[in-house]
Amino acid sequence: MAHRHLTDAPPHRRLHVITWGCQMNVYDSARMADVLAPIGYAPTADAGEADMVILNTCHIRDRAAEKVFSELGRLRLLKLARAQAGGRMILAVAGCVAQAEGAEILARAPYVDIVLGPQTYHRLPEMVAQASRAAGAVIDTAFPAEDKFDHLPQAAAPQGLSAFLTIQEGCDKFCSFCVVPYTRGAEQNRPEAAVLAEARRLVAQGAREITLLGQNVNAWHGAGTDGTPASLGRLVRRLADIPDLWRIRYTTSHPRDMDDGLIAAHAEVQQLMPFLHLPVQSGSDRMLAAMNRRHTAADFLRIVARLRAVRPDLALSSDFIVGHPGETRADFEATLALIRQVEFAQAFSFAYSARPGTPAAASPGQVEEAEKAARLQELQALLREQQAAFNQACVGLTVPVLFTGPGRHPGQVGGRSPWLHPVHLTGPASLIGTETRVKIETARTNSLSASLPEQERACA
Ligand code: SAH
Ligand code: SF4
Ligand code: F3S
């Protein structure tokens, strides 16, 4: 019988990860791949040939969970085909649906091998070993005492020119409608030194833009390198000292936590991009109170005015919910009025979806589905108009674009404007990895196309 030595290369296995939900899930999916790399898993784009498939799920709205079950149905057939061919596919469900509905997943889809929550993925190798040995599923949706970030491998696959970095996780705000405090647990802040070390590593691996992630990223108050609790404003300034880090972003913020230090950072740190996603949810104070948002519409407008005063080119994005329990036509109109006043560069908007276990789900005054759909349409029409106007206003400007890869068509390169627009340009591949000033020629709904100004064309 052959014995494996520690020096033996791990077996070659293929991993396919499907990700739904927010950017934190995108980050988590990459970390799960990092954790599995040392035991031999390399990514594959083809679920059919995978030895392990992970569904990293989102629970934020109803249809999100339904998508998981329909995907599981499809994967069951692939898993059966693999078994008939004498192989084995390990099927894992991770993320927020796993956290909230682990038992239900196993009841509805008993062919799932592993169910794990967002706080336990550092234990994946153990779970895989257990699942490989035993029949029956492994379930780990604990909120462990140890910090998963301390148990993740240092050697991570490079994320490329634009990287994510989770600095904070979980949420203590308990908005009436939201599952995040239940699926992600209590707010946890990574220490400043750990964040700076990870940022330096990302930059050494080639990142030129870092987006700091957290469910309430601007509430971050990790232990500072000098022992005092740090704030996001200070962290941004420290990150700006890292040579070769050209762009800093953060998401998602809460209006309650936009403090003076952070607003000042927007004024003074030129690496901090002039784009802010700041969810307001509603323009009606009555609804904001019912949602437990702990700010008013006027508070939000004041923050926007202060930010724009110090950073006039700041573009704003937001999240809106229509049809929260108790929302009247007048409440909805207050939201439209706020949107007209602010003029958003883009925004996400959703019909309220009742989530089991949240206070709003049990509230009286649930709004009819048809009414929610009609309000959502009206709101989205206004937001679309504002987005088109913002994009159109970019035409003719010369703006720095961080080129991150090939464009949509052959001969094109693609990147991002300071305001997060995808930008396409016909030009040499040598632009990839540079931040280059280009002229915006045309605006589409979700992207811009650009050309190289004369002098750049001469150099390229
Ligand atoms: N942490 C962020 C957002 C988290 S979820 C914040 O505090 O704003 C992303 C967005 O999904 C929310 O901003 C909200 O607009 C939307 N959302 C959350 N729960 C929802 C629900 N039950 N129904 C509809 N939309 C919801
Ligand atoms: Fe959810 Fe509110 Fe926390 Fe955002 S602040 S994650 S909406 S509970
Ligand atoms: Fe979804 Fe969980 Fe993110 S519910 S939005 S994946 S925190």
Side-chain angles (χ1 to χ4, degrees), residues 21-22 25 57-60 96 179-180 183-184 215:
C22 59
N25 260 15
T57 62
C58 172
H59 199 51
I60 203 82
C96 293
V179 290
V180 171
T183 61
R184 291 273 169 174
Q215 265 89 22

Side-chain angles (χ1 to χ4, degrees), residues 199-348:
R200 285 193 202 98
R201 181 173 59 68
L202 291 169
V203 173
Q205 288 178 335
R208 296 293 169 263
E209 173 175 84
I210 290 181
T211 303
L212 304 173
L213 298 181
Q215 265 89 22
N216 263 286
V217 72
N218 58 340
W220 179 81
H221 54 276
T225 46
D226 58 1
T228 61
S231 64
L232 188 61
R234 179 171 113 178
L235 179 65
V236 164
R237 287 169 195 275
R238 290 242 164 144
L239 289 167
D241 289 337
I242 299 178
D244 292 332
L245 178 57
W246 302 335
R247 293 181 162 199
I248 302 167
R249 304 178 186 275
Y250 60 90
T251 198
T252 296
S253 303
H254 193 289
R256 289 260 306 172
D257 300 306
M258 283 310 301
D259 64 19
D260 293 349
L262 188 53
I263 292 176
H266 275 281
E268 292 154 25
V269 179
Q270 58 113 77
Q271 290 93 328
L272 190 54
M273 288 292 100
F275 179 89
L276 179 62
H277 180 63
L278 190 62
V280 62
Q281 315 297 356
S282 170
S284 150
D285 287 346
R286 225 173 57 83
M287 280 301 104
L288 288 168
M291 289 175 169
N292 193 30
R293 292 290 290 181
R294 288 178 273 178
H295 63 80
T296 62
D299 293 334
F300 181 81
L301 294 173
R302 246 190 318 272
I303 293 163
V304 168
R306 287 186 63 198
L307 283 161
R308 283 182 166 159
V310 299
R311 191 74 216 236
D313 62 342
L314 185 89
L316 280 156
S317 157
S318 199
D319 290 343
F320 296 92
I321 296 180
V322 300
H324 182 275
E327 188 187 74
T328 62
R329 178 75 208 175
D331 294 314
F332 172 64
E333 279 171 9
T335 303
L336 296 178
L338 178 135
I339 295 173
R340 286 198 192 92
Q341 202 169 337
V342 174
E343 296 187 3
F344 291 93
Q346 68 125 62
F348 302 95

Side-chain angles (χ1 to χ4, degrees), residues 81-219:
R82 175 60 72 84
Q84 275 160 3
R88 168 124 198 243
M89 174 195 280
I90 294 180
L91 194 48
V93 182
C96 293
V97 177
Q99 187 66 45
E101 293 182 4
E104 197 192 327
I105 291 170
L106 292 181
R108 273 179 72 176
Y111 46 89
V112 166
D113 301 289
I114 298 175
V115 171
L116 73 154
Q119 304 308 340
T120 53
Y121 58 71
H122 55 293
R123 298 177 182 167
L124 254 175
E126 273 167 60
M127 295 181 217
V128 171
Q130 241 178 302
S132 310
R133 275 196 306 271
V138 181
I139 177 158
D140 192 347
T141 50
F143 288 110
E146 80 266 13
D147 182 348
K148 74 175 173 215
F149 291 108
D150 294 341
H151 295 264
L152 295 179
Q154 283 298 305
Q159 288 190 51
L161 287 154
S162 181
F164 293 133
L165 201 179
T166 293
I167 65 170
Q168 183 253 32
E169 224 187 316
C171 181
D172 298 332
K173 290 208 164 57
F174 293 93
C175 299
S176 61
F177 50 82
C178 183
V179 290
V180 171
Y182 313 97
T183 61
R184 291 273 169 174
E187 187 186 295
Q188 282 181 45
N189 297 281
R190 292 180 71 188
E192 189 175 31
V195 172
L196 291 170
E198 186 167 337
R200 285 193 202 98
R201 181 173 59 68
L202 291 169
V203 173
Q205 288 178 335
R208 296 293 169 263
E209 173 175 84
I210 290 181
T211 303
L212 304 173
L213 298 181
Q215 265 89 22
N216 263 286
V217 72
N218 58 340

